[in-house]
Amino acid sequence: MRIFSGIQPTGRKHLGNFIGAIEPYVHHQEQGEAIYCVVDLHATTVPYDPATLRERVYDTAAILLAAGLDPDRCIFFRQGDVPEHTEMTWLLSSVTAFGDLNRMHQFKDKAGAQRDLVSSSLFTYPVLMAADVLVYRAHRVPVGDDQRQHIELMRDIAERFNARFGVGGSGSGDDAPLVVPEGVYREVGARIMDLQEPTRKMSTTGGTEQGTVLVLDEPKTIEKKFKRAVTDSGSEIRHDRDEKPGVSNLIEIYAAVKGVAFDAVEREFADARYGDFKGAVAEAVVERLAPVQERFAELRPDEAALEEILAAGAAKARALAAPTVALARELMGVGPVG
Ligand code: TYM
């Protein structure tokens, strides 16, 4: 069982990323052969500053390591260090429908937010994401709920490649050239919402500042953000996404961070007021993030050590990716017979 996932180096990783993805990465590294990467190339699809990008990669890498990724248990690297991802992207583009890319919600949202140039790489972003996973023939992809459409597309791309280039048109099965991967979504916490606008997902680009809790926020800031969190009419602490989106989000955060079920949270706070409940959620989050922040402060300053970890990971990743690219080239008739 091979697991792959990627995370953008925005550096301002939030509680949604932490609960929806980073915690699952740590969990999955115990379950099989796990491969994780910081996707610096994806970060170049929207306006950015090159020097800041490098810093953000270190920030993100240090957060993941601080959260518990262990380079001895998983392969952890920077996407741009493994050129097989970009070559695979081009090869897969030939079996990716323009119409499918044109239907991607994230492209529409992000393109709509650009003031000037909308890059073509923002449009083909999902093909690079498909290449990230398919080049390792990974089986499972732990992600948050917002990546569902991208995962569906990567499955279609794999199936189309297998049907078009697989020997005898073998579209699936173990002898197919590409593995059709499955998205893995956390049962509780795959979609953490903005604390100020709980019908929108928590996000540093599309959410509100006060409603977005950052992994590196000071405890006081975290407490303030939860204290100001929007709750709903009534006073009952009950999980109901439609009628009580604010309270439900807080229940999910508490349940995920404490590792308990919704109804246990409802029971625990049956007689509590909203204010007390918000205080308890803030405390649980502060407690959960404290050791991560502490470890981050130790790891982040040593950029040479971070580089060493990423470089060692990239060497291992390349060794796994190269044979898939070689096979894809051969099946597609690119270059001399292998
Ligand atoms: P990114 O960097 O935006 O987010 C990283 C992970 O965090 C999850 N996530 C959330 N989970 C729960 N609640 C939220 N509010 C929330 N916001 C974000 C995301 O679903 C993601 O799992 N395109 C990807 C990066 C990527 C990738 C890949 C992922 C590139 N190549 C290959 C998997 C496989 C992205 O932008 O994630």
Side-chain angles (χ1 to χ4, degrees):
M1 173 78 64
R2 193 176 275 175
I3 292 137
F4 182 95
S5 201
I7 187 161
Q8 294 215 54
T10 58
R12 287 157 47 79
K13 289 291 134 190
H14 54 75
L15 192 61
N17 298 132
F18 186 79
I19 293 176
I22 298 173
E23 280 195 331
Y25 297 171
V26 176
H27 168 75
H28 282 287
Q29 80 185 347
E30 316 296 333
Q31 312 286 306
E33 186 186 12
I35 309 171
Y36 299 120
C37 87
V38 181
V39 294
D40 56 345
L41 298 174
H42 275 115
T44 66
T45 60
V46 290
Y48 75 101
D49 172 56
T52 312
L53 174 60
R54 257 191 213 106
E55 296 293 317
R56 296 299 192 218
V57 170
Y58 295 140
D59 291 343
T60 307
I63 288 179
L64 264 58
L65 294 167
L69 278 204
D70 178 353
D72 291 331
R73 289 220 173 101
C74 67
I75 297 178
F76 181 45
F77 69 104
R78 170 172 46 204
Q79 185 188 39
D81 292 346
V82 180
E84 280 75 8
H85 290 233
T86 42
E87 180 163 10
M88 194 67 180
T89 302
W90 187 257
L91 299 176
L92 294 175
S93 297
S94 77
V95 289
T96 307
F98 178 89
D100 286 347
L101 290 176
N102 217 13
R103 272 191 286 279
M104 293 289 121
H105 306 309
Q106 290 214 346
F107 171 71
K108 287 185 191 153
D109 294 347
K110 288 189 184 173
Q114 299 309 324
R115 268 193 233 120
D116 33 47
L117 176 121
V118 175
S119 68
S120 59
S121 61
L122 185 62
F123 187 70
T124 52
Y125 177 116
V127 194
L128 176 58
M129 183 165 159
D132 291 341
V133 175
L134 302 182
V135 82
Y136 296 100
R137 307 185 84 250
H139 304 94
R140 310 187 112 210
V141 189
V143 279
D145 192 63
D146 60 343
Q147 298 298 318
R148 277 182 197 272
Q149 204 187 18
H150 286 155
I151 300 285
E152 277 314 306
L153 180 67
M154 84 173 56
R155 290 171 55 85
D156 287 348
I157 292 174
E159 275 166 5
R160 218 171 286 140
F161 185 94
N162 289 343
R164 169 80 178 84
F165 298 112
V167 180
S170 67
S172 56
D174 286 347
D175 55 344
L178 297 181
V179 171
V180 181
E182 266 174 44
V184 184
Y185 309 92
R186 200 174 164 164
E187 216 169 297
V188 179
R191 192 172 187 81
I192 300 298
M193 309 308 259
D194 188 286
L195 301 185
Q196 288 296 316
E197 292 186 28
T199 50
R200 274 161 66 175
K201 69 170 182 182
M202 189 176 283
S203 149
T204 43
T205 47
T208 67
E209 202 177 320
Q210 281 308 307
T212 305
V213 176
L214 302 180
V215 173
L216 299 177
D217 268 345
E218 301 268 339
K220 266 204 193 109
T221 311
I222 296 177
E223 279 156 20
K224 212 184 293 164
K225 286 178 178 174
F226 276 103
K227 203 177 276 174
R228 293 194 188 144
V230 166
T231 39
D232 317 284
S233 56
S235 59
E236 219 185 334
I237 294 169
R238 174 169 57 88
H239 190 269
D240 182 335
R241 277 265 191 210
D242 298 327
E243 278 187 26
K244 296 173 97 57
V247 170
S248 300
N249 190 38
L250 295 174
I251 292 178
E252 289 218 14
I253 291 172
Y254 189 84
V257 165
K258 289 277 196 185
V260 295
F262 295 160
D263 50 350
V265 183
E266 289 173 346
R267 272 200 307 277
E268 185 177 347
F269 294 96
D271 302 320
R273 286 181 312 196
Y274 280 168
D276 299 330
F277 178 50
K278 287 199 255 184
V281 182
E283 198 186 312
V285 170
V286 166
E287 207 172 278
R288 177 67 188 92
L289 293 179
V292 180
Q293 296 182 347
E294 219 171 279
R295 187 84 184 105
F296 175 87
E298 291 164 8
L299 291 167
R300 177 62 182 83
D302 196 347
E303 294 183 355
L306 293 172
E307 270 303 342
E308 218 171 283
I309 291 172
L310 293 172
K316 288 187 211 158
R318 282 198 85 168
L320 296 177
T324 315
V325 173
L327 177 65
R329 285 170 60 101
E330 189 176 330
L331 291 171
M332 290 178 73
V334 172
V337 177

